[in-house]
Amino acid sequence: MAKWIDNAIFYEIYPQSFKDSNNDGIGDFNGIIEKLGYIKELGCNAIWMNPCFESPFNDAGYDVSDYYKTAPRYGSNEDLKHLFDEVHKMGMHILLDLVPGHTSVKHKWFLESMKAGENEFTDRYVWTDDIWESPEGMGCIRGISERNGSCAVNFFSTQPALNYGFYKPERPWQQPVDADGPKATVAALEDIMRFWLDAGCDGFRVDMAGSLVKNDEDFKGTIKLWQGIRAFLDREFPDAALISEWGEPDKSLEGGFHMDFLLHFGPSHYNDLFRCSEPYFSSRGKGDISEFVKTYKENYNKTSQKGLICIPSGNHDMERMARYLKGDELKLAFAFLLSMPGAPFIYYGDEIGMNYVENLVSVEGGYGRTGSRSPMQWDNTRNAGFSGAPADKLYIPLDNSPGRPDVESQVKDVDSLYNEVKRLISLRKAHPALQNMGKIEFIYAESHAFPFVYLRSSEEEKILVIINPSGKTASFKCGFPLDGKLYSSGGSITKEDGVVEVPAVSSGFYRV
Ligand code: NOJ
């Protein structure tokens, strides 16, 4: 069982935009290697890297054309193995991004499956058996194959859906999950995982993990499929970790995932915290955390001991947190993110408060997401230290706003967001109660009210976390003594006659 995830703190790298080592305007593996020291210094000990495989890049690499070959723009397979080695030398781990649900239309499996005659790949994708019948409720590709049928798509119309079968087949072309075609797809997926785990990666973030089996209303077929894959991993690669892009931990962890994300879609109320018109972490103090806490508790109780619920600072699909929160608000958002159970995930650049870059023309299928994928800002030299290429050759334009944050100046400033994040990570690492497996009990999380208070505990200790993001002093009745202060930010929290007063935009951590 992947023990290393018990205290993993992840850093998500979008390889296009992290560091360009050969001045072609796009990031690469060697650039990431150059910056591993930075990630380690921040305190993260694990990496999730977005897809880096051969692809026509209609969806930033989530449209793979060869699962066994890296995209040359990032480097060779050997360069990627070198990255794994360097990560391991630093005592860190790295997850690749696995896209099991669909390929690119350029994948050789798909090219074969479009042929009229039967071959090994005829059943690799979800095809209807007549060009005039489209798969119900899904987009489809039609009219480009010799084959008389339409092929279901999972996301963009360049991403045909791989065939894992139908939980309840209703049409003749819908195959049951235990038919030969779906079984061969699972075997092909396991081969890909085996190949990269043998090469030295430590596991996978799994794209759209809940979408594999079709007509699977309660996800029973998809859960069973992942249980099988988890059994394969436990047999062959017991230290490998799997995290799902699913957003429903009660289902994904049942399926054998070690971790699942709460996301900007799905029932988690994640957006109430950082991304809505009145986020809870805004100092306007109009947000509400109660629905988030209610669903979190339900998930937490249903999944206890099964795996981790992970709350990311952001990712390549959502607007950056800094579009909604500024200055100290971001510090308090991180006080929360870095003191919750589950593995924290920091999206590159969020630790310095990188902006969402407005009004960018879509790059490689990014559309509105492009603004969250701009180059990392390392310093205030040319191209913010990201690349030596001419500015008009950068893969995505840089944030050109005045006063944009950068790593070099924030490292020097003790009051910067970077240094706050770094202190919060080291606090987490020093206290088992604050780590991934520590328990949580919510003490004060009332509807439309502040502060937000919870108790983290391990066998060794209990830590009370108090956070008041609002711009007004807030109070709550507290049965705990507050003399064991471990950390605070903002003004001083006081207690009198059992009532704790928490100054505007402040936080405190107490051993109780
Ligand atoms: C989720 C990924 O995070 C996103 O970037 C991608 O476009 C879709 N899945 C399709 O693979």
Side-chain angles (χ1 to χ4, degrees), residues 262 270 273-274 292 296 309-313 336-337 340-341 343-345:
L262 300 187
Y270 169 80
L273 305 174
F274 320 114
F292 170 82
Y296 185 91
I309 302 172
C310 302
I311 313 175
S313 70
F336 162 76
L337 288 164
M340 284 295 283
F345 276 75

Side-chain angles (χ1 to χ4, degrees), residues 59 62 102 155 205 207-208 245 316-317 369 373:
D59 183 15
Y62 283 94
H102 45 266
F155 196 68
R205 173 270 190 186
D207 188 67
M208 293 176 68
E245 186 207 25
H316 60 289
D317 290 332
R369 306 174 294 182
R373 300 174 175 187

Side-chain angles (χ1 to χ4, degrees), residues 167 208-227 246 248 250-252 254-255:
Y167 190 63
M208 293 176 68
S211 73
L212 302 193
V213 175
K214 310 300 183 199
N215 273 12
D216 188 20
E217 214 188 324
D218 301 323
F219 299 94
K220 289 194 178 126
T222 305
I223 288 172
K224 194 154 174 236
L225 185 153
W226 284 112
Q227 285 171 341
W246 194 320
E248 294 186 59
D250 55 326
K251 302 187 176 84
S252 51
E254 177 69 27

Side-chain angles (χ1 to χ4, degrees), residues 145-382:
S145 62
E146 283 170 358
R147 177 177 183 156
N148 179 18
S150 320
C151 184
V153 298
N154 264 1
F155 196 68
F156 290 148
S157 48
T158 47
Q159 289 160 310
L162 285 160
N163 179 24
Y164 292 91
F166 284 69
Y167 190 63
K168 289 188 194 143
E170 281 161 1
R171 305 280 303 137
W173 50 268
Q174 299 182 344
Q175 302 179 347
V177 288
D178 56 358
D180 289 345
K183 274 180 16 203
T185 312
V186 175
L189 180 63
E190 290 182 351
D191 280 344
I192 294 162
M193 296 171 86
R194 192 180 281 117
F195 178 84
W196 287 111
L197 290 165
D198 277 337
C201 86
D202 298 295
F204 304 94
R205 173 270 190 186
V206 179
D207 188 67
M208 293 176 68
S211 73
L212 302 193
V213 175
K214 310 300 183 199
N215 273 12
D216 188 20
E217 214 188 324
D218 301 323
F219 299 94
K220 289 194 178 126
T222 305
I223 288 172
K224 194 154 174 236
L225 185 153
W226 284 112
Q227 285 171 341
I229 292 178
R230 172 63 186 273
F232 142 72
L233 284 184
D234 286 350
R235 256 187 334 265
E236 296 187 29
F237 301 97
D239 284 332
L242 274 189
I243 177 157
S244 48
E245 186 207 25
W246 194 320
E248 294 186 59
D250 55 326
K251 302 187 176 84
S252 51
L253 301 185
E254 177 69 27
F257 280 93
H258 300 93
M259 312 174 257
D260 189 16
F261 289 114
L262 300 187
L263 290 163
H264 51 303
F265 58 83
S268 69
H269 287 269
Y270 169 80
N271 284 341
D272 299 3
L273 305 174
F274 320 114
R275 289 173 184 79
C276 61
S277 57
E278 292 297 347
Y280 188 73
F281 284 94
S282 156
S283 61
R284 287 190 298 276
K286 295 195 175 139
D288 181 25
I289 198 141
S290 60
E291 290 299 317
F292 170 82
V293 170
K294 187 169 158 246
T295 31
Y296 185 91
K297 272 197 214 159
E298 283 164 14
N299 275 318
Y300 186 75
N301 294 336
K302 279 195 222 158
T303 59
S304 105
Q305 308 302 323
K306 283 195 196 138
L308 303 178
I309 302 172
C310 302
I311 313 175
S313 70
N315 72 22
H316 60 289
D317 290 332
M318 48 179 126
E319 301 143 282
R320 288 218 184 242
M321 215 159 54
R323 196 178 199 195
Y324 295 92
L325 306 176
K326 303 283 171 216
D328 289 348
E329 296 172 336
L330 287 168
K331 292 185 179 167
L332 291 190
F334 272 104
F336 162 76
L337 288 164
L338 293 167
S339 63
M340 284 295 283
F345 276 75
I346 300 177
Y347 182 51
Y348 83 96
D350 279 354
E351 74 279 17
I352 56 168
M354 265 176 61
N355 292 317
Y356 173 85
V357 185
E358 305 286 342
N359 304 320
L360 289 182
V361 172
S362 177
V363 175
E364 295 187 347
Y367 299 96
R369 306 174 294 182
T370 310
S372 299
R373 300 174 175 187
S374 62
M376 179 70 176
Q377 293 146 205
W378 294 105
D379 54 37
N380 60 12
T381 64
R382 191 154 81 92

